Amino acid sequence: MPRRRMLTLRGTGALIAGTGCLVAANLLGAVVLLYLGILLFALTILAVIVVRAPRRSGTVTRQISTDLLTVSETSRVSLRFSLRALRVPRGLWRDVLPDAVSGDAAGEYPPETGQLSYLITGVRRGVWPIGPLLLRTVDPFGLAQREQEFGETRTVTVVPEVFTLSPLAVRVGAAGGTAQTSSSRLGQGSDNLSPRVYIPGDSMRRIHWRATAHRGQLMVRQEEEESSPDALVVLDRSAGRWSASGDQADPAFEAAVSLCASAAVHLMQEGYGVDVIDTTGALLGTLRGHEDDRDGLLVALALVTPRGEARDLASLVGGTPPGPLVYITGRLDEEDAALLRPAGAAAPLLFTTDPQPGAAKAAEPHGWRVATLGDDVAEAWEDALPERVGLTPAERRGAGDVSA
């Protein structure tokens, strides 16, 4: 952040004019020019003393109206600025904002409303600092200026944008139960305990007394493995799939992260238990219907960057195939697409931001529903839906009109 000079342009001009007057006075012997040069120097020095001498200190506290700021979302930042000084100065305040958020964080001080506030809009996901607060004051003649920092910085977390997606037509339990997945997690269903007859060796702590009284014989609780619809979202972060852009954001990777968040939240809202992982096997988030789960996933996705190498998808899925499987990747060629197997998932959806010739045809025989991910995340999702695969763009638009 560049520092402002002690003198304004007017002050610099006054010094130059004063110097010129002193030189002209010596050359021309004009006493008036000598007095004028001394006056300009004296005014400039006095202006610097008036602005720089007063001691000021203060504290700044910031409050952001939303805990997590979504890309393209607007939020209000309210500041409480406690300034300690001999007199209240008049000037301009400015809060330093990173490039990842936009907003008009400046105004006159002291404010007419008595409160400092401004609006910010998320531009790029990540965790970014806001601040410090800068107060710029100028002397009455406009010759000298002072810009002073107050308070510490505060971080704001910008999370990826979550889009509303169309319902997934294929549901767990379709195809005669072949899409059913099992889970031993307790508490997912309405009743995961059933009584059975006591067998010697069963723990007495598992006796089901109500069933024992009803049946007239000793019964124990048996934990049933309940049916729980699961979904898996995989974000391919392999460095080789994405363009290396340094500190600049890669639009394709940003779209992939946004689709990852949107798909996970959408599947959770459809009643699935959702696990979100990357292609190294690292768990990015787990959604089981709690708001904290959603926020935790969005925070994790706010920090992801392309890195590492991908593992085999079958090893990531494990022994129990999920219902819906959403795989999001970048550049995908025909050879890699042919090796990508959905590992028995009931509804495998494959999204690629840069499909190479033949990639889609190589993946589709394995059961993938392939779509190209561009700027419109919702449109890419619709293109991958089972009832829309194989349609031309005109037919897709027509199907959308009919459904609307």
Side-chain angles (χ1 to χ4, degrees):
M1 182 176 56
R3 303 287 297 182
R4 290 186 179 272
R5 295 175 299 176
M6 183 180 300
L7 297 178
T8 63
L9 291 177
R10 184 184 297 180
T12 303
L15 281 182
I16 295 175
T19 303
C21 288
L22 293 178
V23 173
N26 289 329
L27 294 177
L28 303 176
V31 180
V32 174
L33 293 178
L34 177 63
Y35 290 156
L36 181 58
I38 294 175
L39 177 62
L40 290 175
F41 272 103
L43 282 176
T44 304
I45 294 173
L46 179 61
V48 172
I49 294 175
V50 168
V51 171
R52 308 287 295 189
R55 299 183 60 182
R56 300 172 188 159
S57 61
T59 58
V60 179
T61 56
R62 296 176 182 83
Q63 183 176 3
I64 305 176
S65 60
T66 55
D67 295 331
L68 300 178
L69 180 64
T70 304
V71 172
S72 76
E73 179 188 13
T74 299
S75 181
R76 179 169 294 277
V77 180
S78 301
L79 297 91
R80 180 175 297 176
F81 181 29
S82 301
L83 178 64
R84 293 180 291 273
L86 292 178
R87 66 179 182 86
V88 178
R90 292 192 172 273
L92 299 175
W93 66 270
R94 177 170 63 92
D95 215 9
V96 179
L97 297 180
D99 295 336
V101 298
S102 63
D104 184 13
E108 294 184 357
Y109 186 85
E112 295 181 358
T113 60
Q115 184 179 10
L116 310 181
S117 66
Y118 58 91
L119 298 176
I120 58 173
T121 302
V123 175
R124 181 180 175 186
R125 62 184 179 82
V127 179
W128 311 99
I130 294 181
L133 180 71
L134 303 179
L135 181 61
R136 177 176 176 262
T137 55
V138 182
D139 71 283
F141 298 104
L143 302 177
Q145 64 184 352
R146 179 184 184 182
E147 190 173 72
Q148 188 175 357
E149 298 180 359
F150 294 94
E152 302 293 335
T153 62
R154 163 163 182 183
T155 59
V156 58
T157 302
V158 183
V159 299
E161 187 172 4
V162 177
F163 294 91
T164 301
L165 303 180
S166 299
L168 185 64
V170 176
R171 300 289 298 177
V172 168
T178 57
Q180 196 86 0
T181 61
S182 297
S183 173
S184 59
R185 291 188 303 270
L186 298 182
Q188 297 290 329
S190 59
D191 186 7
N192 56 2
L193 297 177
S194 64
R196 62 168 174 81
V197 177
Y198 173 83
I199 300 175
D202 287 335
S203 173
M204 297 298 292
R205 290 178 295 181
R206 298 179 59 188
I207 293 179
H208 196 302
W209 295 109
R210 181 176 298 178
T212 298
H214 179 71
R215 298 283 185 88
Q217 58 179 329
L218 207 56
M219 305 291 291
V220 296
R221 293 188 301 270
Q222 175 177 268
E223 296 178 357
E224 289 185 340
E225 187 180 68
E226 61 181 11
S227 173
S228 175
D230 287 333
L232 182 64
V233 180
V234 183
L235 176 63
D236 189 351
R237 299 171 59 189
S238 307
R241 303 289 189 194
W242 309 98
S243 301
S245 54
D247 294 335
Q248 299 298 322
D250 180 3
F253 187 73
E254 297 304 311
V257 174
S258 184
L259 175 58
C260 178
S262 302
V265 172
H266 176 71
L267 292 172
M268 179 192 68
Q269 292 172 346
E270 286 200 344
Y272 295 99
V274 185
D275 291 326
V276 183
I277 63 175
D278 64 14
T279 44
T280 66
L283 182 65
L284 299 177
T286 300
L287 303 184
R288 293 295 182 267
H290 302 291
E291 188 68 21
D292 292 343
D293 294 343
R294 178 182 182 275
D295 292 345
L297 172 64
L298 293 180
V299 171
L301 292 178
L303 302 173
V304 297
T305 56
R307 65 172 178 84
E309 298 293 334
R311 289 171 49 191
D312 180 67
L313 181 57
S315 65
L316 297 176
V317 173
T320 303
L325 169 62
V326 180
Y327 192 92
I328 307 167
T329 187
R331 185 180 185 275
L332 185 66
D333 57 30
E334 183 177 2
E335 181 180 356
D336 290 336
L339 298 175
L340 200 60
R341 306 298 175 89
L349 307 179
L350 173 60
F351 298 90
T352 170
T353 61
D354 185 16
Q356 300 301 299
K361 290 185 178 180
E364 287 172 354
H366 301 306
W368 290 107
R369 300 177 179 92
V370 186
T372 301
L373 175 59
D375 296 333
D376 194 329
V377 170
E379 182 180 3
W381 177 265
E382 287 193 9
D383 290 343
L385 294 182
E387 68 273 14
R388 300 170 71 88
V389 171
L391 298 180
T392 65
E395 290 172 336
R396 290 191 182 114
R397 288 192 296 270
D401 295 339
V402 172
S403 61

